[in-house]
Amino acid sequence: MSLTILTVPGLGSSGPEHWQTRWEQHYGYRRVEQREWDSPVCSKWVAALEAAVTAAGPAVVLVGHSLACATIAHWASTTRCPIRGALLVAPADVDRPDFPSEATGFAPMPLNELPFPSIVVASTDDAYATWERAEQFARAWGSRLVNVGALGHINSASGLGLWPAGHRLLQELLG
């Protein structure tokens, strides 16, 4: 049974310089596409994730970024699809008072243990979630927490290129 890696971008999707896009191009990973990247509705994003995982089969690993981490947490509480694991990078704190109003239905952040192995990767200076919140998410989800230092939102602006350190974390999750 072959393993499928699905990237799950956050709000606005991941542009050409984002490490997720580069991983797709370099390693052949597939993106979970959403109909509406800029005004997301949680239930619709969860449904699209469910369809993508169902189509891919049980040997799936998810690689989520930002709002996709909340999507994956919501999905995990409702799905019957087993997966091998998830790499959850820079989870956005959907409970913040200044969370973008164009994204609806994501709050409150699910804080149930995930039914699959996971790693939360967080930065100490992420504008979308404090380090303390990332710690809380990892603890609640039963995830290993990795501190990557001051890398902002771990996105295109972080200048990570192919982000080999992140890919090593994915390989650890697979191992």
Side-chain angles (χ1 to χ4, degrees):
M1 179 180 310
S2 76
L3 184 66
T4 302
I5 308 292
L6 295 177
T7 63
V8 191
L11 183 65
S13 192
S14 293
E17 301 303 315
H18 196 285
W19 58 267
Q20 281 185 315
T21 304
R22 290 178 183 239
W23 284 11
E24 292 160 9
Q25 294 165 347
H26 189 80
Y27 301 110
Y29 301 159
R30 297 193 325 236
R31 179 173 294 202
V32 174
E33 293 290 346
Q34 299 291 348
R35 288 190 177 182
E36 181 52 65
W37 288 110
D38 297 322
S39 298
V41 175
C42 185
S43 60
K44 292 180 180 180
W45 276 33
V46 166
L49 179 57
E50 177 77 4
V53 170
T54 300
V60 172
V61 173
L62 302 175
V63 179
H65 179 258
S66 190
L67 186 59
C69 298
T71 303
I72 291 167
H74 280 283
W75 170 81
S77 68
T78 62
T79 190
R80 293 177 188 254
C81 295
I83 64 168
R84 294 264 311 270
L87 184 67
L88 304 167
V89 180
D93 185 355
V94 298
D95 297 321
R96 288 185 3 240
D98 62 341
F99 186 73
S101 60
E102 61 269 16
T104 58
F106 291 90
M109 178 68 87
L111 296 175
N112 307 318
E113 186 168 344
L114 299 175
F116 43 79
S118 58
I119 298 173
V120 170
V121 182
S123 169
T124 57
D125 64 346
D126 190 337
Y128 299 100
T130 64
W131 174 253
E132 292 73 25
R133 281 294 278 172
E135 285 180 313
Q136 182 183 16
F137 299 151
R139 198 169 36 255
W141 296 337
S143 306
R144 177 178 156 214
L145 177 62
V146 175
N147 180 341
V148 293
L151 288 181
H153 195 47
I154 316 175
N155 58 7
S156 300
S158 303
L160 300 171
L162 195 56
W163 194 33
H167 201 258
R168 281 192 298 276
L169 291 170
L170 176 60
Q171 296 307 309
E172 287 178 29
L173 181 65
L174 299 176

